[in-house]
Amino acid sequence: QVTLKESGPVLVKPTETLTLTCTVSGLSLSNARMGVSWIRQPPGKALEWLAHIFSNYEKSSDEKSYNTSLKSRLTISKDTSKSQVVLTLTNMEPVDTATYYCARADAYAWLENDSWGQGTLVTVSS
Amino acid sequence: DIQMTQSPSSLSASVGDRVTITCRASQSISRYLNWYQQKPGKAPKLLIYGASSLQSGVPSRFSGSGSGTDFTLTISSLQPEDFATYYCQQSFITPITFGQGTRLEIK
């Protein structure tokens, strides 16, 4: 059974950088079937996909993809030895206030998100 | 980016009703369409993947169909626990995108 858990600050100030960590258990991050997506949801609004990362066996490297409108501010990375995926979002603004989720994405299936963390609410305010 | 448009945005129905939610992609996405259910304060839950495959543990009253640009999620007989918000998601090409959601309310 795959489980994911988000951690990070609950409050950040405008212009600061947000760093969120997703800790995974049940499957190694070196397994392409254990890709990780980050998805956020502002209060009362729809889900917004941010980024994902997974191992590409053929290229012997990590595949990373980003939300088009946030690409310049986002970085996703992983530490396989710690079973962690880290997302950073620079220059935070009040509109970035949201619940941030990490979720498993199976790169050898349909990239569906079949396991989710509980989410962490991040508020941007001075 | 591929735009995903759900209709309706909200829907009122009664227990026992048959309900259909539609999702349209701005370009063909083959069958790379997933459906999620979200209840207030909870993480989304995967219902359907690959347009029509039922996720393990999801009741058989949920079904999905479609390919290309037009997709549907059908609940054959609404149960009280089905009142929630539903999202479609295309995973054909990055960036992955979600629909705006359909809120299913009790009539």
Side-chain angles (χ1 to χ4, degrees), chain A residues 8-74:
Chain A
V10 296
L11 180 66
V12 297
K13 292 181 169 56
T15 76
E16 288 186 340
T17 293
L18 172 67
T19 299
L20 294 172
T21 300
C22 177
T23 302
V24 173
S25 62
L27 192 60
S28 171
L29 288 173
S30 63
N31 190 321
R33 309 207 70 140
M34 188 61 228
V36 173
S37 304
W38 282 96
I39 295 152
R40 73 178 181 180
Q41 185 173 39
K45 295 189 177 181
L47 300 168
E48 179 180 34
W49 182 86
L50 298 177
H52 75 205
I53 186 168
F54 58 87
S55 297
N56 185 318
Y57 294 152
E58 295 175 0
K59 296 181 180 179
S60 300
S61 63
D62 293 334
E63 289 283 345
K64 304 177 185 180
S65 297
Y66 295 99
N67 178 296
T68 300
S69 61
L70 295 170
K71 188 172 185 176
S72 63
R73 300 170 54 206
L74 282 169

Side-chain angles (χ1 to χ4, degrees), chain B residues 4-22:
Chain B
M4 305 301 293
T5 304
Q6 288 181 235
S7 61
S9 296
S10 63
L11 175 61
S12 294
S14 301
V15 173
D17 283 355
R18 180 183 180 90
V19 166
T20 297
I21 298 169
T22 66

Side-chain angles (χ1 to χ4, degrees), chain B residues 10-103:
Chain B
S10 63
L11 175 61
S12 294
S14 301
V15 173
D17 283 355
R18 180 183 180 90
V19 166
T20 297
I21 298 169
T22 66
C23 181
R24 175 165 288 176
S26 60
Q27 65 186 73
S28 178
I29 57 171
S30 183
R31 296 179 60 82
Y32 284 80
L33 192 284
N34 311 307
W35 289 98
Y36 299 85
Q37 176 194 67
Q38 187 180 32
K39 296 182 179 179
K42 299 295 187 181
K45 172 187 174 183
L46 177 67
L47 299 175
I48 302 284
Y49 62 93
S52 61
S53 295
L54 191 67
Q55 173 67 358
S56 176
V58 173
S60 59
R61 63 181 179 272
F62 290 92
S63 64
S65 65
S67 66
T69 60
D70 294 314
F71 301 87
T72 60
L73 172 69
T74 299
I75 309 172
S76 60
S77 178
L78 272 175
Q79 298 302 301
E81 60 268 29
D82 299 338
F83 292 94
T85 300
Y86 293 83
Y87 293 94
C88 62
Q89 175 203 47
Q90 71 78 18
S91 54
F92 180 66
I93 193 169
T94 56
I96 291 171
T97 45
F98 286 93
Q100 81 279 16
T102 295
R103 184 174 178 180

